[in-house]
Amino acid sequence: MCRVVDLHQAVLAKNDRAADTLRAELAARGTTVVNLLSSPGSGKTALLERELVEARDRAVPVAALTADLATENDAERLARSGVPVRQILTDGLCHLEAGMLAGHLEGWLPTPVRLLFVENVGNLVCPASYDLGETLRVVLASVTEGEDKPLKYPTAFGLAHLVVVTKTDIAEAVGFDEAAFRANVERVNPGVEVLLTSARRELGVGLLLDRALAAAAGAPVHSPVMAREPHPHTHEHAGDHTDLAHDHSADDADHTNGTAAMAQPRP
Amino acid sequence: MHEMSIALAVIGQVEEAAGRAGDITAVREVRLQVGELAGVVPEALSFCFELACAGTVLEGAELVTDFVPGRARCAPCAHEWAVGMPPLLSCPRCDGGSTDLLSGRELQIVAVRWEDGRTPAPTREPIPEER
Ligand SMILES: Nc1nc2c(ncn2[C@@H]2O[C@H](COP(=O)(O)OP(=O)(O)O)[C@@H](O)[C@H]2O)c(=O)[nH]1
Ligand SMILES: [Mg+2]
Ligand SMILES: [Zn+2]
Ligand SMILES: [Zn+2]
Ligand SMILES: [Zn+2]
């Protein structure tokens, strides 16, 4: 027989649970994750290279994982800093998931590591939906990408704890309008900090490390409006919703209770 | 593609729920709530869903998406507005940044309609929900 069953499961519930577990496990080992998101070529690897060297110079124990669709080039670049680096090849998958990250950390993550930087797959669409157990989510955009990037990728920018502008050394040459960029960021993520950097000229290098260390030390991170989730369960219910097993059970014919509007059987 | 991962997550969860329920022979319909700010394109999701359902107990199932518009409320001045796309999340009245997002980030499986092997009977067997 045909029945309508009420599930109410967040589609990404599994990833969210894995991320929470990973966050707690890493916190217990004193490790904080920084998730770096941007389009391909924005300069994640270049900036991270600098930040890793800076961390080494300051004797802060850090490590980095870099995800790429196919090549190991980024890991080789990052490894020049001398800190532990590992490449994740996603084999075409356009984002990392918490479970994948956990798998790659197993048996590899050295101790002690204060900060674990994760360079996500170059993509501003899907990685935004996947919590990796990070404490600080950083979204980067280079001055060449246009001031309206935050409006084109509102989920990515809207969920960022920190926004980093890269390649400011060529800002003038490409006519980057900093005020317009900041206004667009503010529209989708009011109050988020925007840092200006140039890995090439070593401008603003160390700021990302400062913010990450502050977050690791327990300083409050920015709370994006988009991440302030209301109670997700919005549909009307006839009965209460405290039992774990409400099956709006029945064959089609008798499905006439208050949930019919959302679980209307097809004719 | 992003929507393919989401479609696979939906299918995986429905398969699990079907497994827990036992003797589900076919899934007819999956009802999703998709918020304006969920970062998912419903048409692309439907396309991927249909492809990915092939060969599973969900083969032929219809994906029905309920779109949830994004709405926000300013904490200091109580103004409420439709956030639109691209979303405006700072208050258009007082320019304040302490906004509460009331809706728009939903991405959840609300309900499924499926066939089980049982004959219609008054006994109702509850399906455990996953939290
Ligand atoms: N002018 C300039 N170019 C940069 C800077 N950072 C990175 N690039 C260049 O941008 C390209 C992509 O950088 P990469 O770090 O690989 O980007 P990713 O794909 O985000 O990791 C490379 O050709 C870099 O040399 C910078 O600060 N200034
Ligand atoms: Mg890179
Ligand atoms: Zn319900
Ligand atoms: Zn993806
Ligand atoms: Zn206001």
Side-chain angles (χ1 to χ4, degrees):
Chain A
M1 80 191 206
C2 190
R3 59 172 78 208
V4 174
V5 177
D6 203 354
L7 284 183
H8 298 301
Q9 295 180 7
V11 171
L12 298 172
K14 215 176 225 175
N15 184 74
D16 291 344
R17 272 197 306 273
D20 286 338
T21 304
L22 184 59
R23 201 169 3 248
E25 280 173 12
L26 290 177
R29 321 175 38 163
T31 303
T32 295
V33 174
V34 180
N35 185 3
L36 302 175
L37 268 63
S38 85
S39 295
S42 297
K44 294 181 295 301
T45 307
L47 183 63
L48 187 50
E49 246 185 290
R50 301 290 179 193
E51 297 291 341
L52 295 181
V53 170
E54 180 80 16
R56 194 199 55 201
D57 292 350
R58 292 196 212 166
V60 178
V62 298
L65 268 146
T66 177
D68 201 82
L69 301 174
T71 75
E72 308 236 350
N73 300 345
D74 286 0
E76 284 161 24
R77 286 165 61 194
L78 295 174
R80 294 192 295 229
S81 65
V83 315
V85 170
R86 188 168 196 194
Q87 179 81 52
I88 303 180
L89 295 180
T90 61
D91 239 344
L93 187 66
C94 49
H95 62 272
L96 283 177
E97 297 187 9
M100 295 166 64
L101 179 60
H104 285 276
L105 293 180
E106 229 174 88
W108 172 75
L109 188 67
T111 33
V113 163
R114 190 87 179 106
L115 298 172
L116 172 67
F117 290 93
V118 178
E119 178 182 349
N120 216 311
V121 182
N123 170 356
L124 278 180
V125 185
C126 351
S129 297
Y130 293 88
D131 184 355
L132 297 184
E134 72 265 21
T135 298
L136 196 66
R137 179 180 292 201
V138 183
V139 174
L140 303 90
S142 70
V143 295
T144 60
E145 294 171 53
E147 294 78 13
D148 58 353
K149 196 96 184 183
L151 305 183
K152 287 182 178 160
Y153 299 92
T155 320
F157 284 89
L159 292 171
H161 298 123
L162 179 66
V163 173
V164 173
V165 177
T166 58
K167 312 189 191 179
T168 56
D169 54 292
I170 51 171
E172 211 160 304
V174 299
F176 176 66
D177 185 342
E178 184 190 332
F181 180 82
R182 285 182 182 275
N184 289 335
V185 169
E186 188 67 16
R187 176 186 171 116
V188 300
N189 194 345
V192 71
E193 186 182 14
V194 178
L195 296 177
L196 302 179
T197 67
S198 162
R200 180 81 41 98
R201 294 267 170 81
E202 306 232 13
L203 299 171
V205 169
L207 292 176
L208 176 57
L209 185 62
D210 292 340
R211 300 303 182 271
L213 284 171
V221 297
H222 169 68
S223 155
V225 170
M226 222 183 263
R228 292 177 210 156
E229 301 247 7
H231 189 258
H233 188 179
T234 52
H235 71 260
E236 306 260 302
H237 257 278
D240 73 349
H241 207 217
T242 50
D243 60 325
L244 280 180
H246 73 212
D247 175 359
H248 300 282
S249 128
D251 49 30
D252 290 354
D254 84 30
H255 196 260
T256 52
N257 61 30
T259 61
M262 68 100 193
Q264 188 70 253
R266 275 186 296 163
Chain B
M1 181 201 235
H2 182 40
E3 276 74 12
M4 186 50 93
S5 320
I6 302 288
L8 290 172
V10 171
I11 291 166
Q13 291 201 36
V14 173
E15 280 180 321
E16 275 176 25
R20 283 194 306 271
D23 72 353
I24 301 303
T25 54
V27 177
R28 301 292 183 209
E29 183 184 288
V30 177
R31 194 154 203 115
L32 271 194
Q33 237 181 11
V34 178
E36 192 172 9
L37 307 180
V40 172
V41 180
E43 296 73 36
L45 185 59
S46 290
F47 178 78
C48 294
F49 181 80
E50 198 182 322
L51 286 181
C53 282
T56 76
V57 71
L58 286 87
E59 181 150 356
E62 189 182 347
L63 184 70
V64 179
T65 49
D66 297 333
F67 176 77
V68 184
R71 290 199 64 80
R73 186 176 183 279
C74 175
C77 89
H79 180 57
E80 211 184 298
W81 70 99
V83 301
M85 185 54 70
L88 173 62
L89 296 176
S90 48
C91 178
R93 188 193 276 168
C94 76
D95 210 27
S98 64
T99 301
D100 290 319
L101 192 64
L102 303 175
S103 63
R105 286 281 299 154
E106 295 77 4
L107 184 55
Q108 70 157 338
I109 305 169
V110 179
V112 295
R113 192 158 62 84
W114 58 31
E115 302 281 346
D116 61 29
R118 281 167 260 170
T119 46
T123 48
R124 296 179 174 190
E125 206 176 301
I127 313 296
E129 250 183 36
E130 202 172 86
R131 273 291 135 198

